Amino acid sequence: MSYLKLKRYFKDEKTKKDVQFTLLLLLILTGVVIFVNIGLRVILNTDTPIVVVEGRSMEPTFYEGDLLIVKGVPPEDIENGSIIVFWAEWSNTLVVHRVIAIVNSSGELYFYTKGDNPETNPVADPYPVPAKDVKGVVIFCIPRIGLITILLSKYGLIIPVSIVLIILIIQTILSSEETPKNKKKSVKSIRKSERTTFIEFLYDITFLNKF
């Protein structure tokens, strides 16, 4: 579609309404996500209210892709056996492990932790976790719902997939244009060409890393 044709197309009132509706929908969805995130932080008293399990260290309690709801609590309320989310300085990552011992050193609490999986985590974590690094305790689990996020992140596809979704939205808007019957053949040919180009685009960003 040429620039002049595209410009002429967007002058159409129906197209303008479609674009406005799509942008409004995206804006609402973005607002909802931000509101939920901020709201959960306030309600659950932690800056990390939602965590997706990565790896097998907590099997069979949690599995990779499980989405965990985390609540911030005073360190003194954490008990042996509690499952906590904490920032592990030795690996620079968030970790979800079980508390197996608590030590009070000079008035500061330290938590010794370990994964539940005896195969991947036969021994306790290498260092105790200071109370300041604890994000909260796990209070709820939604199985496997975060698996797609892990897969997209693992293969570096979050940005490409986001681009693809935006392109699909734009193509959906553009394809809504009503075409006279005598132009169906040419339009079908154009759309076939667009689909071919789009498939090539997907192949490039997914397998050839051209973007």
Side-chain angles (χ1 to χ4, degrees):
M1 183 178 288
S2 66
Y3 170 74
L4 291 178
K5 187 175 180 181
L6 188 63
K7 185 177 181 180
R8 196 183 315 117
Y9 177 76
F10 274 98
K11 287 183 178 181
D12 181 70
E13 288 300 320
K14 183 178 181 301
T15 302
K16 287 181 179 179
K17 290 180 180 179
D18 288 341
V19 172
Q20 290 172 355
F21 175 78
T22 303
L23 291 176
L24 179 61
L25 183 61
L26 289 174
L27 184 62
I28 291 173
L29 290 174
T30 302
V32 168
V33 171
I34 294 174
F35 176 78
V36 169
N37 187 37
I38 295 175
L40 286 177
R41 289 186 179 201
V42 174
I43 294 171
L44 296 175
N45 192 35
T46 177
D47 61 0
T48 313
I50 298 175
V51 173
V52 176
V53 177
E54 296 188 41
R56 301 179 52 226
S57 68
M58 282 301 290
E59 292 181 3
T61 307
F62 302 131
Y63 291 88
E64 187 167 36
D66 288 353
L67 188 146
L68 308 178
I69 305 300
V70 183
K71 181 180 180 181
V73 298
E76 56 271 17
D77 289 348
I78 298 175
E79 304 174 345
N80 276 334
S82 297
I83 299 175
I84 63 173
V85 176
F86 60 91
W87 180 258
E89 292 186 355
W90 64 83
S91 61
N92 287 324
T93 57
L94 281 176
V95 175
V96 181
H97 277 177
R98 189 181 298 277
V99 175
I100 59 172
I102 303 173
V103 174
N104 189 323
S105 177
S106 301
E108 184 173 357
L109 292 176
Y110 290 84
F111 302 94
Y112 287 84
T113 55
K114 181 181 178 298
D116 284 358
N117 192 336
E119 295 181 3
T120 60
N121 296 72
V123 297
D125 294 331
Y127 303 101
V129 181
K132 64 180 180 63
D133 290 339
V134 177
K135 302 298 182 180
V137 298
V138 176
I139 60 173
F140 193 72
C141 172
I142 305 176
R144 303 291 189 175
I145 197 172
L147 196 57
I148 188 170
T149 304
I150 294 176
L151 293 175
L152 292 176
S153 177
K154 184 178 293 185
Y155 295 102
L157 294 177
I158 290 181
I159 294 178
V161 168
S162 299
I163 295 174
V164 168
L165 289 175
I166 293 172
I167 291 175
L168 285 174
I169 291 171
I170 295 174
Q171 284 192 334
T172 301
I173 295 172
L174 296 181
S175 64
S176 64
E177 181 181 14
E178 294 182 0
T179 309
K181 291 183 178 180
N182 59 355
K183 292 186 179 180
K184 281 186 177 179
K185 186 175 180 181
S186 60
V187 170
K188 184 177 180 181
S189 176
I190 291 172
R191 288 180 178 172
K192 182 177 180 181
S193 174
E194 288 176 348
R195 284 198 298 270
T196 303
T197 305
F198 184 65
I199 291 172
E200 291 174 351
F201 170 77
L202 284 177
Y203 179 84
D204 288 343
I205 64 174
T206 306
F207 300 104
L208 302 183
N209 295 320
K210 285 189 176 182
F211 294 86

